């Protein structure tokens, strides 16, 4: 009765796919899979990689997002533009984390704008440049000893408990 989902970077994107497909009969049909049957109460997404057609340093991923088998399939457009997943009828509240030193901070900020436009409950924690250490991409997972990382998980825990 209290299921939550989390992920960081590409894992955060996979969590968003799971949420969207689970909450949408249309997406289940397009992807040819059923929902898991769980009702997720909220999600925690750390430094989401939302843009799968990159023009930055990570543009090498563009060639691995889809395969020849995906071409012209009913789900291909969602792989190329995951922001389209927000058509799902049931996206639960989303807690997001990024930082000014996250190389793909723009992806988290884009998702925040999309969630706002859709009226989906969300909270974004965007850490400024670190004073004592860099708050790089997925710092909370990679450097759990940082005070900011402990703060991330305390805030996410509070968000989950509120839902």
């Amino acid at each position: 009765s209290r299921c939550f989902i989390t992920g960081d970077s590409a894992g955060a994107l996979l969590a968003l796919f799971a949420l969207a497909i689970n909450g949408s009969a249309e997406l289940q049909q397009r992807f040819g899979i059923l929902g898991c049957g769980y009702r997720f109460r909220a999600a925690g997404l750390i430094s989401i990689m939302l843009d799968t057609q990159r023009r930055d340093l990570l543009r090498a991923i563009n060639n691995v997002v889809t395969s020849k088998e995906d071409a012209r399939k009913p789900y291909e457009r969602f792989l190329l533009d995951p922001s389209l997943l927000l058509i799902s009828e049931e996206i639960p509240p989303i807690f997001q984390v990024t930082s000014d030193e996250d190389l793909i901070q723009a992806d988290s900020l884009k998702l925040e704008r999309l969630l706002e436009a859709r009226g989906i409950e969300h909270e974004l924690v965007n850490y400024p440049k670190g004073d004592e250490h860099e708050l790089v991409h997925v710092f909370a997972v990679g450097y759990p000893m940082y005070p900011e990382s402990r703060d991330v998980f305390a805030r996410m825990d509070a968000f989950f408990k509120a839902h």
Side-chain angles (χ1 to χ4, degrees):
S1 68
R2 296 193 49 83
C3 292
F4 304 94
I5 190 167
T6 66
D8 59 277
S9 194
L13 179 60
L14 291 174
L16 183 62
F17 267 94
L19 291 171
I21 292 169
N22 192 55
S24 169
E26 177 187 344
L27 290 175
Q28 289 174 31
Q29 182 180 8
R30 286 180 179 271
F31 280 89
I33 57 176
L34 297 175
C36 66
Y38 295 115
R39 180 183 167 271
F40 292 99
R41 308 270 304 245
L45 308 179
I46 298 173
S47 300
I48 192 169
M49 183 193 76
L50 187 65
D51 185 359
T52 60
Q53 299 302 295
R54 307 199 72 83
R55 292 176 183 84
D56 57 17
L57 293 172
L58 299 177
R59 65 183 168 273
I61 70 155
N62 297 355
N63 298 324
V64 296
V65 170
T66 61
S67 67
K68 291 178 183 175
E69 291 83 32
D70 297 319
R72 293 180 293 285
K73 295 282 172 107
Y75 58 80
E76 181 186 31
R77 67 187 186 116
F78 297 96
L79 298 177
L80 297 173
D81 184 3
S83 68
L84 298 173
L85 293 168
L86 297 179
I87 67 163
S88 180
E89 295 88 19
E90 295 182 32
I91 299 288
I94 293 179
F95 177 85
Q96 281 200 97
V97 174
T98 190
S99 72
D100 288 346
E101 295 171 284
D102 183 349
L103 74 149
I104 60 170
Q105 177 193 43
D107 292 35
S108 294
L109 300 178
K110 177 181 178 180
L111 181 58
E112 196 235 353
R113 289 188 304 274
L114 292 166
L115 294 170
E116 185 70 29
R118 277 281 323 276
I120 297 170
E121 183 183 345
H122 63 282
E123 179 180 334
L124 172 68
V125 179
N126 186 7
Y127 288 86
K129 186 177 190 303
D131 292 330
E132 296 182 23
H133 40 259
E134 289 183 292
L135 301 177
V136 296
H137 183 65
V138 301
F139 71 88
V141 177
Y143 302 97
M145 72 293 284
Y146 288 176
E148 296 89 348
S149 300
R150 289 192 299 273
D151 183 59
V152 165
F153 293 112
R155 287 178 180 224
M156 189 181 300
D157 182 56
F159 189 84
F160 287 171
K161 284 178 178 170
H163 296 88

